[in-house]
Amino acid sequence: MLKIYLTSLFIFAFAINGFSQTPQPTATPISDDGDVVKISTNLIQIDVSVTDKKGNPVTDLKPEDFEIYENGKKQDITNFGFISNKSESITKVNKENNSIPIPPTQLKPNQVRRTIALVVDDLTLSFESTYYVRRALKKFVDEQMQEGDLVAIIRTGAGIGALQQFTTDKRLLYQAIERVRWNASGVGNIGAFAPLTSTSEADQNSNGEESDEDQAAERDIEAELNDFRRNIFATGTLGALNYIVRGMEELPGRKSVMLFSDGFKLFSVDESGFQSSGILNNLKKLVDLANRASVVIYTMDGRGLAITGITAADNTGGRSAQQIQDEVSARSDELFDTQEGLIYLARETGGFAVINNNDLSKGVEKVLNDQSYYLIGYEPDDETFDAEKLKFNKFTVKVKREGVTVRYRSGFFGMSDEDIKKPSENLSPKEKITNALTSPFAVNEINLSLNTLFKSDEKKNLFLNSFLYINAKDFNFVDDTDGSKKVVFDVLAVSFGDNGVPVDEISKTYTINLTGETYQRVLDEGLIYSFGFPVKKAGAYQMRVVIRDHNSNKVGSANQFVLVPKMNKKRLTLSGVVLQNISYEEWNKGQQSNQNNIDDNKNVVITKNNPKAATSLKQFRRGTVLRYGFEIYNAKYQKEQKPQLETQIKVYRDGKLLFEGKANPINVSQLTNFTNIIDGGALNLGTTMQSGDYVLQIIVTDKLAKSKKQITSELIQFEIIE
């Protein structure tokens, strides 16, 4: 049972300010974590894709249909299973100006079917390629994204911007697509190739022709410079991919990277003819990392079916027929060489490359249809991990059925996952904090919950107020000399703009001493850290917070995307939503719990049913009351006519509408200032409600505004617990 209670003005709402597995002898099914490729001393487990002549997955094969070899030696299959990742597409979002967006589904880790990183290599993409990539990304979000998809759109040249995170929220993905632009600082040209320009008369000899020696020297210098620049940017691209793959290692579901790029060369040749394999070496390390992290990389050439011949953009003035032919040949070589890098990376990680295809969306569709696979395991020999014979162990997989295509990972270096030193081990405190801050993925050594809210004041000044819940049980309290329990921790909070540049930050160290009941209550209920930043302009922001415990060197991090609207557009706008949890008895008495114990350290709160705790943690028990409050901005009114506003709430679970309240007018009769109108309400969380995640949607309608600007809404996710 779920009831709604509407209240009058919510005084408490904005009184909160932010400044202040063992294998068996026969094939066994995969375990619950079977979607993770294992490389351990007692089990090697790889994923194998099998498709028919039409590219459709073959789903009825059995263990006896497969043969698997390690370095040419046949292995006995001990584990076998088939993973299917088919589900229904998500309904397309209605993007009319006056539409009410449907809340995104809040996924638990066990609900994630596919984790997909759409990586836009803006370090290499040309201006033309960028346009086609943007179009493919929009179609993916509109039509191809499915229920259970966890998606990120990441630019290799964008640093750690506000939009670099995995989400189910299409609004966030649309914002990320809007930021995909041609990177003028990258190596990409306007088109697939730089257009030819006419040769200068100053570069001609007395007979009006450029000498062969000069031509060759000029081409060599230009080629070397281009290779140098491409190597630099290719290194940047591979570094970004390495970073992304490391972050995806612990994420659930079938993990895929789709790399949209104009390609990179495996080798470069200097002026002496020496061939460098630096890029190839970096690729091999990335391949091993991806194979261990169960990440399949698919690559897509943004140039499509590129024309290497002379086009209207080329000025061939001053060039002989042979010189023109040489330029065309150079373009063909460049296309082949840069596609070779894309093909190698995809093939070695079990994916495929989409090249010479002008329809990138078809390529994306082909990738999405490739998400079903067989998981095959075997017991490795002792030689596999022999430290004295450290080598790359090569896989060969054969299927006895005719007419099928088999794809699988190339292999792995002769070290088990347990023997590999993780990047996070033995780091200094500063390095741990930096890694946690710059990663687009949360670090959970200390569990945190962050909720950042947008707010505006009467003078249209913009603020981001953040409320961070800290699970104090993850702290390592030590005994102090006075008998109290002591913890010392660092807090680093940084807001980033959509370009990845830090905007504001807080860096502080806190010492907390607790005794008796207060210490036990902190362990049971946690701590709240609140802070705020002013915002100079509207746009997309990413709030990132890191906590480090001095005693244990444990680190926790959290991040959240926030979209700050343009207040000067005079459009109806809502602030973020603050929450409070009170008992049904307290609600009936009309009382508010004020049992807050504020520590001497500013902004650190010991929780006791206060709005800061509910707003940050967003957990509520059945049979209690959830109170919510918000502010309304830019309501229409005239001197003789007050605002005419209505509010309505909807509650969603698993993306489906569970409850829809009636539209109720907002009482503004006692107000004289309509710049910031405070309102709110309450929900009685019935004792029969199921535990799990819900989304509360608050909808406000302005009866005096134009039809396309009448409606605005705000979403807040909350969880019901036992």
Side-chain angles (χ1 to χ4, degrees):
M1 181 178 182
L2 183 142
K3 297 180 181 179
I4 177 174
Y5 299 89
L6 292 178
T7 65
S8 57
L9 299 182
F10 226 153
I11 303 301
F12 90 91
F14 284 92
I16 304 173
N17 64 77
F19 292 89
S20 7
Q21 218 177 92
T22 300
Q24 302 299 318
T26 58
T28 60
I30 59 173
S31 60
D32 291 339
D33 62 343
D35 59 339
V36 179
V37 173
K38 299 176 183 292
I39 300 177
S40 64
T41 55
N42 67 342
L43 179 65
I44 304 295
Q45 194 164 264
I46 65 170
D47 51 332
V48 180
S49 297
V50 185
T51 54
D52 59 22
K53 293 180 180 179
K54 295 183 179 180
N56 299 317
V58 177
T59 64
D60 59 346
L61 296 175
K62 296 177 172 51
E64 54 267 27
D65 294 319
F66 288 86
E67 290 181 353
I68 185 166
Y69 299 81
E70 180 191 297
N71 301 322
K73 184 178 180 180
K74 186 177 180 180
Q75 305 295 322
D76 293 330
I77 295 175
T78 60
N79 295 69
F80 183 86
F82 178 74
I83 310 297
S84 176
N85 281 277
K86 292 286 185 180
S87 68
E88 297 299 323
S89 295
I90 297 175
T91 304
K92 182 176 179 179
V93 171
N94 184 348
K95 294 186 286 183
E96 294 290 334
N97 290 331
N98 62 341
S99 68
I100 302 172
I102 297 175
T105 302
Q106 300 295 321
L107 296 179
K108 294 283 189 180
N110 61 350
Q111 295 174 314
V112 177
R113 300 178 65 86
R114 307 188 302 196
T115 298
I116 304 172
L118 303 166
V119 181
V120 181
D121 186 15
D122 58 351
L123 295 176
T124 68
L125 285 175
S126 69
F127 182 85
E128 291 178 350
S129 296
T130 303
Y131 167 77
Y132 293 110
V133 168
R134 280 171 54 93
R135 192 168 67 174
L137 293 174
K138 288 180 179 179
K139 185 170 182 178
F140 170 82
V141 175
D142 283 342
E143 304 174 18
Q144 297 171 316
M145 188 172 169
Q146 297 182 356
E147 294 286 354
D149 283 353
L150 191 62
V151 180
I153 297 175
I154 304 174
R155 293 166 288 159
T156 57
I160 52 172
L163 305 171
Q164 312 279 64
Q165 67 174 339
F166 285 87
T167 183
T168 61
D169 193 338
K170 287 193 172 186
R171 299 170 303 167
L172 174 53
L173 296 176
Y174 285 128
Q175 287 289 328
I177 293 171
E178 289 301 314
R179 269 64 179 183
V180 173
R181 303 184 180 98
W182 178 55
N183 188 343
S185 299
V187 73
N189 300 300
I190 298 298
F193 306 102
L196 298 179
T197 57
S198 63
T199 56
S200 170
E201 290 185 2
D203 294 329
Q204 307 296 312
N205 59 19
S206 59
N207 296 324
E209 294 180 354
E210 190 177 10
S211 70
D212 291 340
E213 269 185 30
D214 290 342
Q215 293 176 35
E218 185 178 345
R219 284 198 303 267
D220 288 344
I221 293 173
E222 184 177 358
E224 187 176 356
L225 288 174
N226 287 337
D227 278 353
F228 178 74
R229 293 189 70 240
R230 284 192 172 276
N231 281 347
I232 291 175
F233 286 104
T235 301
T237 297
L238 297 180
L241 286 172
N242 187 297
Y243 183 70
I244 294 164
V245 169
R246 287 187 185 278
M248 295 178 71
E249 185 173 6
E250 300 301 326
L251 292 181
R254 172 67 160 172
K255 294 175 284 191
S256 304
V257 168
M258 295 188 217
L259 174 65
F260 298 87
S261 174
D262 275 7
F264 47 86
K265 296 181 179 181
L266 295 177
F267 304 96
S268 60
V269 180
D270 61 21
E271 59 182 353
S272 63
F274 179 76
Q275 191 176 66
S276 172
S277 58
I279 297 300
L280 180 59
N281 292 334
N282 289 335
L283 267 174
K284 288 181 177 180
K285 294 176 182 178
L286 174 60
V287 166
D288 184 62
L289 179 65
N291 290 346
R292 292 179 182 275
S294 306
V295 177
V296 180
I297 301 178
Y298 302 87
T299 55
M300 300 186 184
D301 190 347
R303 296 166 293 191
L305 187 59
I307 299 174
T308 58
I310 300 301
T311 68
D314 294 311
N315 187 338
T316 60
R319 283 182 168 83
S320 67
Q322 184 58 50
Q323 290 174 325
I324 296 173
Q325 183 58 45
D326 290 342
E327 295 289 350
V328 172
S329 296
R331 288 179 175 180
S332 297
D333 291 341
E334 181 182 338
L335 180 63
F336 177 85
D337 291 342
T338 53
Q339 287 182 341
E340 187 179 18
L342 298 177
I343 295 170
Y344 177 91
L345 177 58
R347 182 185 67 232
E348 297 298 301
T349 59
F352 53 77
V354 179
I355 61 175
N356 302 327
N357 189 329
N358 287 333
D359 194 339
L360 289 178
S361 293
K362 284 292 184 181
V364 172
E365 183 178 349
K366 184 179 179 182
V367 171
L368 297 177
N369 290 334
D370 191 56
Q371 301 302 300
S372 298
Y373 59 97
Y374 294 89
L375 199 61
I376 306 175
Y378 67 91
E379 298 180 40
D381 297 331
D382 293 338
E383 292 184 358
T384 298
F385 301 109
D386 188 344
E388 296 181 358
K389 300 179 180 179
L390 187 60
K391 62 184 183 299
F392 186 80
N393 298 292
K394 184 175 178 58
F395 289 136
T396 302
V397 179
K398 298 180 181 180
V399 176
K400 297 176 183 179
R401 185 176 297 184
E402 296 182 356
V404 299
T405 300
V406 185
R407 287 184 292 101
Y408 49 90
R409 302 172 188 275
S410 58
F412 61 97
F413 286 101
M415 294 183 67
S416 67
D417 291 339
E418 296 91 340
D419 293 333
I420 294 178
K421 183 179 178 181
K422 300 296 182 182
S424 59
E425 293 179 353
N426 300 322
L427 295 179
S428 67
K430 182 178 180 181
E431 289 172 329
K432 290 200 70 171
I433 292 175
T434 301
N435 285 358
L437 179 71
T438 57
S439 173
F441 315 97
V443 178
N444 296 316
E445 293 177 342
I446 300 173
N447 284 284
L448 308 176
S449 177
L450 175 68
N451 192 11
T452 298
L453 313 178
F454 152 73
K455 187 183 183 299
S456 175
D457 62 14
E458 294 184 359
K459 297 182 179 180
K460 305 295 184 181
N461 296 314
L462 307 176
F463 304 92
L464 291 178
N465 289 345
S466 296
F467 305 93
L468 181 72
Y469 171 83
I470 308 169
N471 188 341
K473 291 180 180 178
D474 295 331
F475 277 142
N476 182 20
F477 285 91
V478 297
D479 296 327
D480 207 353
T481 55
D482 61 357
S484 65
K485 297 292 185 178
K486 175 182 176 181
V487 63
V488 181
F489 60 94
D490 300 321
V491 177
L492 176 60
V494 183
S495 62
F496 293 88
D498 59 20
N499 58 358
V501 176
V503 178
D504 282 294
E505 75 171 68
I506 289 175
S507 179
K508 292 186 178 181
T509 299
Y510 292 95
T511 300
I512 296 180
N513 291 78
L514 304 170
T515 59
E517 293 181 0
T518 303
Y519 169 66
Q520 189 58 50
R521 186 152 56 85
V522 166
L523 292 183
D524 293 339
E525 300 180 7
L527 294 170
I528 307 300
Y529 181 77
S530 61
F531 61 94
F533 290 137
V535 179
K536 296 180 181 179
K537 63 178 182 178
Y541 292 86
Q542 178 87 347
M543 186 65 65
R544 297 175 180 268
V545 184
V546 179
I547 298 283
R548 186 185 74 88
D549 181 355
H550 281 213
N551 296 326
S552 65
N553 202 30
K554 288 183 179 179
V555 167
S557 70
N559 62 75
Q560 182 184 342
F561 164 82
V562 182
L563 184 61
V564 177
K566 294 182 179 180
M567 298 296 291
N568 58 3
K569 293 294 183 180
K570 303 297 182 180
R571 295 194 58 146
L572 188 67
T573 304
L574 295 186
S575 70
V577 181
V578 296
L579 304 173
Q580 186 182 31
N581 194 199
I582 62 174
S583 69
Y584 188 71
E585 291 75 16
E586 286 176 308
W587 169 259
N588 277 336
K589 293 177 182 178
Q591 294 178 350
Q592 236 177 275
S593 174
N594 293 311
Q595 300 176 30
N596 296 332
N597 183 359
I598 309 299
D599 190 85
D600 290 338
N601 296 281
K602 185 179 179 182
N603 292 344
V604 180
V605 181
I606 299 173
T607 70
K608 186 63 178 178
N609 297 332
N610 65 82
K612 289 184 179 182
T615 299
S616 58
L617 188 54
K618 297 174 288 186
Q619 285 185 345
F620 304 88
R621 296 187 181 278
R622 296 194 202 95
T624 63
V625 175
L626 184 161
R627 302 181 70 190
Y628 57 90
F630 54 91
E631 287 188 355
I632 305 169
Y633 312 121
N634 295 332
K636 297 295 182 183
Y637 64 94
Q638 298 174 357
K639 290 184 179 180
E640 306 298 328
Q641 187 179 30
K642 293 187 175 184
Q644 296 181 23
L645 302 171
E646 287 184 349
T647 62
Q648 181 186 25
I649 70 160
K650 295 181 180 182
V651 178
Y652 294 82
R653 178 172 168 81
D654 297 330
K656 298 178 181 179
L657 182 63
L658 178 68
F659 173 83
E660 182 174 7
K662 295 180 180 179
N664 291 279
I666 296 177
N667 184 0
V668 297
S669 59
Q670 303 300 316
L671 299 181
T672 57
N673 185 348
F674 307 118
T675 304
N676 296 19
I677 300 174
I678 300 176
D679 196 61
L683 283 170
N684 177 25
L685 306 177
T687 58
T688 61
M689 293 186 70
Q690 296 180 356
S691 299
D693 290 325
Y694 295 79
V695 174
L696 170 65
Q697 182 176 44
I698 300 168
I699 303 167
V700 176
T701 303
D702 188 341
K703 296 289 189 178
L704 300 181
K706 295 180 180 180
S707 59
K708 289 187 177 182
K709 298 182 179 180
Q710 280 190 331
I711 299 175
T712 188
S713 70
E714 188 67 25
L715 304 172
I716 185 82
Q717 180 269 342
F718 66 96
E719 181 183 7
I720 293 181
I721 60 176
E722 296 287 349

